[in-house]
C-alpha cells in the first residue's frame, strides 16, 4: 500500500502555529477559570464543563471521561475527520504547505478526497455560471430572484446555481477540466446508465452547495423546477467527503457568528432567508429528520436551540422527533420551539412582512415555548378538554411526555399544570410519570422520518432534438437555415426551415408542398404545438450564421404513444397505390405513399425532391424519415400488411393502430 508521509517536524510546526483555544472557540462554548479555559466535553454528554484546555501546552484533558490530546485530536473529534484531514485542515489554517516525508497516511484515499472536493468545486462554478450568465439559466433566475425574492448578493453569498435540463452538460464540462468518469460518479455528480453512458445526476434544478466547516464544497442539494418531477429535492448521497447525517446546511456560516443560540430550520431557503434577515445562527438538517450525529454537532456548538420547522403536519411530526433526538443526544441543551402563526415557514413569513419581517421573527423567537410545553400542547390536538374521555386521553399522553424529562423541577412544574387541566392531584400525575419512565418504550426515539428525496436513475434519454443545422447563404431569403432534427431515437424530420423575420424573431416551417388547387404551401409534417415551440427555441439557441453545426439536446425522450395509420387508395396513379398518414401524440405525417415496385409493395415517406450526395449521385431527400433501421423496417412492413388487408376488404379508407 502506498502512503503519504508528513514529517514529524511539520506536524509540530502546524501545532505550534494553531491555538487550541481558537479552534475550540469556533466549535464549543468556552468559559475561563484562571489561566485555563473549560467547556462541556465534545466526546461525551455532560451538563457541567469538565474538559479543560491548556493554552501553554496547546492540549486538553477531560476530567469526566479521561479523553485527552492535542489540537489535532480535538478537531478530529469535533469535526469527525480522519487524521490526515485534521492535519491538512490545520495546515491550511496555519498557511503551511505539506510535503511528503515521514508519516503514515493512506495516500490513495486522501488523493481521492482531494479530487472529490475539487470536482465539487468545479461543479459549483459550473452551476453558478449556468444560473447567472447562461441563457438557459433564465428559468433559475426567475425562480430565485422573482418568485423567491432573493437578491444577487444572496445568490453569490450562498453560491447558488442551476443544473441545466441536458444530460451531459456537467459531465462534458468536468471532463474538459480533467476529471474522470469514476471521479464524477464517486462524487455523486453523475451516474452510469444501463447502456454504459455517464450522465448528469442533477437536471433542471436549483443547486444549493453544501460546505464543510472550512468552506470546501462537499455536496449539493437540488430542487426540481419541473412540477412533474418525481422528487422535489435530491441530495448528494454518501461520498468519501460527505455523509448527510453528519452535516448541517448553513453550519459553516453559522459557526463564524460564534452564537450561543442556533435556529434549526427545515429547508435550504429557510436558512437563506433567516441568515439574510440577520439570524446568522440558522441551520437546516438536510431533510426533515434530524439525526443523532447532527444533534451532537448542535450540542457542541451552542447552549440554546430554537426549532422553527414548517407548521404543516409533516413539520409537526419532524419537530416532535427532533425534540426527542436532542433530548437523548444533548440532555444539557435548552430546546425551544417557535411558532410563526400565520406563516408556514420562515421564508414565507418574511415575504408576508416585507417591511418588518426580521423584527417579527425576533419576537417569535423570543416568545418560543420550551420543548416540553410544545409537546404537551400537541397532546391536546383534536381533544375537547371539557369532555372527561378526552381529558383522560390527554393525561395519558402528557404523562408519556413527562416521562422523558430528566429534570425533577421541570417534571414537578408541568405535573402541577397537567393536574390542574385534568382535575386530578399532582401526586397521581407524578406517580404515573415514574411508572412510565421505567417503561423502555418511552425512551425509544421514533423511527426516522423519511424526506421526499427520490432518485431513480433514468435510462439514458434518447437524444431529443439532435440536429444538424445548415445555414443558407442567400441574403434575400427569409429562410436562414435548414435543419435535420431527430426528435427521438426512432423518428426524425428532415428539411426543417429556420426563418428569421424583420424583428429578428425565429420560427420554424415544416417541410411542405405547394398545393395546386389551393395555391398555398401545405406542410407534410405537423407537430403538437408545445413540441414545435420547444424545438424552435432549441434550434434558435444553437443557430450559428457562420458555420454548419451539429447540436445535441437533452431531457427525457419524447413518448409518441400509439401511432394511428390511415390508408386511402389512389385512383389511376400508376405505381402509387395508396396514400398513408401516420398520426400520434407528437406529430402528424401526411402524404406518405404505398408504391408498387419490382419486389412488391413498399412505403415511401414524403419527398422534398433530390439532392446530390458526395459521390455525385442524386438522392431523394425525404421530409420525414425513420432514424433507426429496425423501426423503418417494422413500420414499412406494418403499412404494407395493412394495405394488403385493405385491398382484400376492398375499402377506400382503412384505419388501424400501430403498436
Amino acid at each position: 500500500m502506498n502512503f503519504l508521509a508528513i514529517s514529524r517536524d511539520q506536524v509540530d510546526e502546524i501545532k505550534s502555529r494553531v491555538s487550541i483555544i481558537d479552534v475550540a472557540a469556533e466549535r464549543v462554548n468556552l468559559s475561563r477559570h484562571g489561566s485555563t479555559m473549560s467547556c462541556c466535553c465534545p466526546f461525551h454528554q455532560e451538563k457541567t464543563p469538565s474538559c479543560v484546555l491548556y493554552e501553554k501546552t496547546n492540549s486538553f484533558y477531560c476530567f469526566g471521561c479521561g479523553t485527552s490530546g492535542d489540537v489535532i485530536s480535538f478537531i478530529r473529534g469535533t469535526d469527525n475527520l480522519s487524521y490526515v484531514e485534521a492535519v491538512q485542515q490545520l495546515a491550511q489554517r496555519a498557511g503551511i504547505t505539506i510535503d511528503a516525508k515521514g508519516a503514515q497516511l493512506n495516500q490513495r484515499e486522501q488523493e481521492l478526497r482531494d479530487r472529490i472536493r475539487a470536482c465539487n468545486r468545479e461543479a459549483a462554478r459550473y452551476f453558478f455560471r449556468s444560473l447567472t450568465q447562461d441563457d438557459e439559466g433564465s428559468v433559475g433566475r426567475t425562480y430565485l430572484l422573482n418568485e423567491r425574492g432573493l437578491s444577487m448578493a444572496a445568490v453569490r453569498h450562498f453560491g447558488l446555481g442551476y443544473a441545466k435540463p441536458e444530460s451531459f452538460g456537467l459531465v462534458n464540462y468536468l471532463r474538459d477540466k480533467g476529471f474522470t468518469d469514476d471521479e464524477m460518479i464517486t462524487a455523486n455528480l453523475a451516474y452510469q446508465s444501463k447502456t454504459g453512458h455517464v450522465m448528469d445526476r442533477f437536471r433542471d434544478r436549483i443547486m444549493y452547495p453544501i460546505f464543510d466547516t472550512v468552506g470546501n464544497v462537499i455536496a449539493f442539494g437540488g430542487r426540481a423546477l419541473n412540477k412533474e418531477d418525481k422528487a422535489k429535492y435530491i441530495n448528494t448521497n454518501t461520498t468519501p467527503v460527505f455523509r448527510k447525517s453528519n452535516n448541517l446546511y448553513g453550519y459553516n456560516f453559522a459557526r463564524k457568528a460564534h452564537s450561543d443560540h442556533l435556529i434549526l430550520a427545515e429547508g435550504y431557503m429557510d436558512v437563506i432567508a433567516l441568515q439574510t434577515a440577520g439570524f446568522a445562527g440558522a441551520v437546516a438538517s438536510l431533510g426533515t429528520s434530524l439525526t443523532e450525529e447532527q444533534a451532537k454537532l448542535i450540542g457542541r456548538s451552542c447552549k440554546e436551540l430554537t426549532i422553527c420547522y414548517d407548521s404543516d403536519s409533516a413539520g409537526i411530526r419532524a419537530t416532535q422527533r427532533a425534540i426527542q433526538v436532542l433530548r437523548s443526544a444533548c440532555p444539557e441543551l435548552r430546546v425551544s420551539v417557535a411558532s410563526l402563526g400565520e406563516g408556514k415557514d420562515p421564508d414565507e413569513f418574511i415575504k408576508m412582512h416585507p417591511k418588518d419581517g426580521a423584527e417579527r421573527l425576533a419576537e417569535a423567537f423570543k416568545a418560543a415555548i420550551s420543548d416540553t410545553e410544545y409537546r404537551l400542547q400537541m397532546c391536546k390536538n383534536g381533544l375537547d378538554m371539557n369532555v372527561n374521555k378526552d381529558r383522560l386521553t390527554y393525561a395519558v399522553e402528557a404523562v408519556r411526555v413527562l416521562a422523558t424529562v430528566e429534570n425533577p423541577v421541570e417534571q414537578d412544574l408541568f405535573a402541577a399544570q397537567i393536574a390542574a387541566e385534568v382535575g386530578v392531584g399532582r401526586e397521581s400525575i407524578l406517580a404515573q410519570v415514574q411508572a412510565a419512565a421505567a417503561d423502555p418504550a418511552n425512551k425509544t426515539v421514533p423511527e426516522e422520518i423519511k424526506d421526499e428525496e427520490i432518485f431513480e436513475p433514468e435510462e439514458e434519454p434518447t437524444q431529443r432534438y439532435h440536429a444538424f443545422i445548415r445555414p443558407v447563404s442567400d441574403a434575400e431569403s427569409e429562410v436562414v437555415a435548414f435543419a435535420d432534427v431527430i426528435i427521438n431515437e426512432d423518428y426524425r424530420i428532415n428539411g426543417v426551415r429556420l426563418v428569421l423575420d424583420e424583428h429578428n424573431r425565429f420560427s420554424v416551417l415544416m417541410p411542405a408542398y405547394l398545393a395546386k388547387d389551393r395555391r398555398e404551401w401545405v406542410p407534410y409534417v405537423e407537430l403538437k404545438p408545445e413540441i414545435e415551440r420547444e424545438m424552435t427555441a432549441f434550434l434558435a439557441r444553437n443557430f450559428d450564421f457562420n458555420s454548419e453545426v451539429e447540436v445535441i439536446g437533452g431531457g427525457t425522450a419524447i413518448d409518441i404513444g400509439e401511432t394511428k395509420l390511415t390508408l386511402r387508395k389512389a385512383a389511376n396513379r400508376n405505381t402509387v397505390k395508396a396514400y398513408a398518414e401516420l398520426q400520434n401524440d407528437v406529430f402528424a405525417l401526411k402524404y406518405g405513399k404505398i408504391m408498387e415496385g419490382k419486389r412488391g409493395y413498399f412505403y415511401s415517406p414524403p419527398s422534398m425532391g433530390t439532392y446530390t450526395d458526395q459521390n455525385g449521385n442524386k438522392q431523394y431527400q425525404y421530409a420525414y424519415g425513420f432514424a433507426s433501421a429496425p423501426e423503418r423496417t417494422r413500420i414499412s412492413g406494418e403499412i404494407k400488411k395493412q394495405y394488403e388487408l385493405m385491398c382484400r376488404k376492398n375499402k377506400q379508407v382503412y384505419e388501424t393502430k400501430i403498436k
Side-chain angles (χ1 to χ4, degrees):
M1 181 178 292
N2 294 324
F3 292 96
L4 173 67
I6 303 176
S7 68
R8 173 52 54 188
D9 290 342
Q10 279 197 313
V11 173
D12 291 341
E13 184 182 1
I14 291 168
K15 291 193 292 185
S16 68
R17 291 196 192 181
V18 179
S19 166
I20 193 172
I21 303 298
D22 294 339
V23 170
E26 296 173 356
R27 292 160 174 79
V28 295
N29 296 304
L30 301 179
S31 56
R32 179 170 289 280
H33 299 281
S35 61
T36 62
M37 303 287 285
S38 63
C39 64
C40 288
C41 180
F43 305 101
H44 80 285
Q45 297 302 315
E46 61 179 2
K47 297 181 180 180
T48 303
S50 62
C51 182
V52 179
L53 308 177
Y54 300 96
E55 191 169 7
K56 290 184 179 180
T57 59
N58 218 25
S59 61
F60 73 96
Y61 179 81
C62 177
F63 288 88
C65 66
T67 302
S68 63
D70 55 20
V71 65
I72 297 175
S73 305
F74 191 89
I75 196 174
R76 284 190 67 187
T78 58
D79 290 18
N80 193 27
L81 301 176
S82 66
Y83 181 83
V84 65
E85 288 174 321
V87 171
Q88 289 191 326
Q89 188 175 123
L90 294 175
Q92 182 179 351
R93 182 187 185 109
I96 297 173
T97 302
I98 297 175
D99 59 16
K101 288 184 185 176
Q104 291 136 8
L105 306 174
N106 190 320
Q107 180 181 7
R108 193 168 297 172
E109 290 182 6
Q110 186 54 37
E111 286 179 349
L112 177 60
R113 290 191 184 99
D114 291 342
R115 291 292 290 172
I116 297 306
R117 292 190 189 95
C119 194
N120 284 331
R121 182 174 63 249
E122 285 298 336
R125 290 171 177 168
Y126 172 83
F127 293 138
F128 180 77
R129 282 196 293 267
S130 296
L131 174 68
T132 58
Q133 298 178 19
D134 294 352
D135 291 340
E136 295 94 323
S138 61
V139 62
R141 293 193 293 273
T142 298
Y143 172 78
L144 290 173
L145 303 182
N146 298 344
E147 296 180 28
R148 303 310 295 258
L150 293 186
S151 65
M152 278 305 300
V155 169
R156 285 191 295 271
H157 178 72
F158 292 96
L160 307 185
Y162 174 65
K164 300 174 185 177
E166 58 197 56
S167 304
F168 304 100
L170 177 62
V171 167
N172 290 335
Y173 172 83
L174 291 175
R175 282 173 180 161
D176 290 342
K177 293 293 182 181
F179 294 97
T180 67
D181 291 350
D182 286 343
E183 287 170 343
M184 289 181 255
I185 293 172
T186 303
N188 210 215
L189 293 167
Y191 71 95
Q192 190 170 37
S193 70
K194 291 182 180 179
T195 57
H197 291 81
V198 177
M199 307 171 64
D200 293 359
R201 183 174 189 263
F202 298 97
R203 300 180 212 151
D204 195 21
R205 291 178 179 272
I206 296 297
M207 300 301 294
Y208 301 88
I210 300 167
F211 302 90
D212 63 15
T213 55
V214 295
N216 295 310
V217 181
I218 55 174
F220 292 93
R223 186 200 189 281
L225 292 182
N226 185 346
K227 294 181 180 179
E228 296 181 2
D229 206 303
K230 289 182 180 179
K232 185 176 179 181
Y233 287 95
I234 61 174
N235 295 308
T236 299
N237 295 328
T238 299
T239 73
V241 300
F242 175 72
R243 199 173 180 84
K244 182 180 175 183
S245 61
N246 291 354
N247 293 273
L248 295 165
Y249 181 71
Y251 181 72
N252 60 308
F253 298 117
R255 211 184 75 178
K256 293 178 181 178
H258 303 290
S259 175
D260 287 344
H261 182 195
L262 293 184
I263 300 167
L264 180 62
E266 187 170 329
Y268 303 111
M269 287 303 302
D270 294 328
V271 170
I272 292 172
L274 285 166
Q275 291 196 8
T276 302
F279 300 93
V283 297
S285 51
L286 299 174
T288 56
S289 190
L290 186 73
T291 68
E292 182 180 357
E293 293 85 355
Q294 291 169 334
K296 289 180 178 178
L297 180 60
I298 290 171
R300 292 197 299 264
S301 307
C302 67
K303 296 179 179 178
E304 183 177 354
L305 174 76
T306 298
I307 301 174
C308 191
Y309 279 171
D310 290 358
S311 58
D312 57 12
S313 58
I316 291 172
R317 291 197 307 274
T319 299
Q320 292 178 317
R321 184 187 184 281
I323 289 171
Q324 290 185 262
V325 172
L326 290 161
R327 282 266 180 183
S328 174
C330 313
E332 75 287 352
L333 183 68
R334 295 196 303 271
V335 179
S336 60
V337 180
S339 173
L340 301 185
E342 53 189 316
K344 181 183 177 184
D345 56 41
D347 182 40
E348 291 183 6
F349 186 88
I350 291 173
K351 287 185 176 64
M352 292 173 64
H353 306 284
K355 294 183 178 180
D356 58 351
E359 291 79 3
R360 287 173 178 261
L361 272 176
E363 293 174 1
F365 294 144
K366 187 176 181 180
I369 60 177
S370 72
D371 56 341
T372 302
E373 189 174 356
Y374 173 83
R375 288 193 290 164
L376 291 175
Q377 284 187 3
M378 293 301 104
C379 292
K380 295 179 184 177
N381 280 353
L383 300 179
D384 184 351
M385 296 300 288
N386 295 316
V387 178
N388 287 337
K389 179 182 176 182
D390 284 357
R391 285 205 303 273
L392 179 60
T393 299
Y394 167 67
V396 171
E397 295 301 320
V399 162
R400 290 176 179 170
V401 170
L402 284 193
T404 65
V405 176
E406 295 183 1
N407 188 322
V409 176
E410 187 178 7
Q411 268 192 356
D412 194 67
L413 174 66
F414 284 108
Q417 176 182 312
I418 295 167
E421 291 173 325
V422 177
V424 298
R426 180 176 63 85
E427 291 74 14
S428 63
I429 295 293
L430 286 173
Q432 292 297 316
V433 168
Q434 291 176 1
D439 186 352
N442 288 320
K443 299 291 184 180
T444 304
V445 176
E447 290 185 7
E448 181 179 354
I449 301 171
K450 301 295 184 183
D451 61 23
E452 62 178 323
E453 176 179 335
I454 302 172
F455 178 69
E456 300 174 357
E458 307 166 7
E459 284 299 303
E460 177 186 355
T462 307
Q463 288 313 301
R464 173 170 165 181
Y465 305 141
H466 182 161
F468 187 79
I469 304 175
R470 301 178 302 280
V472 175
S473 58
D474 185 359
E476 296 182 1
S477 173
E478 65 173 1
V479 179
V480 294
F482 282 95
D484 296 336
V485 185
I486 299 174
I487 62 173
N488 67 20
E489 66 184 0
D490 288 325
Y491 299 99
R492 74 167 180 252
I493 306 171
N494 295 331
V496 177
R497 288 170 290 170
L498 193 59
V499 176
L500 187 64
D501 65 18
E502 65 273 14
H503 301 293
N504 284 329
R505 291 177 301 195
F506 280 91
S507 60
V508 297
L509 299 178
M510 293 296 108
Y513 76 102
L514 185 61
K516 295 181 180 179
D517 54 344
R518 290 188 286 177
R519 299 209 177 260
E520 62 180 354
W521 289 93
V522 179
Y524 286 120
V525 183
E526 290 182 353
L527 288 178
K528 196 174 181 180
E530 54 265 36
I531 300 296
E532 185 169 342
R533 286 194 296 269
E534 186 178 348
M535 192 178 75
T536 301
F538 170 78
L539 293 173
R541 206 164 49 234
N542 289 283
F543 175 66
D544 184 351
F545 274 104
N546 298 317
S547 63
E548 295 183 350
V549 59
E550 185 176 14
V551 291
I552 298 177
T556 307
I558 297 176
D559 181 8
I560 64 169
E562 206 168 39
T563 300
K564 179 180 177 182
L565 167 67
T566 302
L567 295 175
R568 293 182 176 84
K569 281 188 176 180
N572 303 320
R573 292 301 301 273
N574 300 321
T575 57
V576 179
K577 300 301 179 182
Y579 291 101
E581 180 175 319
L582 298 175
Q583 185 170 6
N584 53 41
D585 293 338
V586 172
F587 66 84
L589 172 64
K590 305 173 183 179
Y591 308 111
K593 292 171 282 190
I594 300 293
M595 304 184 71
E596 186 176 16
K598 294 180 180 179
R599 298 183 180 180
Y601 299 118
F602 65 94
Y603 170 71
S604 175
S607 169
M608 292 177 59
T610 61
Y611 71 98
T612 303
D613 64 17
Q614 295 177 346
N615 299 321
N617 299 320
K618 287 190 176 181
Q619 303 285 350
Y620 282 101
Q621 179 167 336
Y622 294 107
Y624 192 90
F626 301 112
S628 66
E631 185 70 5
R632 181 171 61 248
T633 301
R634 187 185 73 83
I635 292 292
S636 296
E638 185 71 22
I639 291 173
K640 175 185 174 182
K641 182 174 69 175
Q642 296 301 331
Y643 171 69
E644 291 173 343
L645 180 62
M646 182 181 72
C647 291
R648 288 198 297 271
K649 292 184 177 182
N650 196 29
K651 288 186 177 181
Q652 290 297 312
V653 177
Y654 185 76
E655 294 185 352
T656 187
K657 290 181 179 179
I658 303 174
K659 296 291 185 180

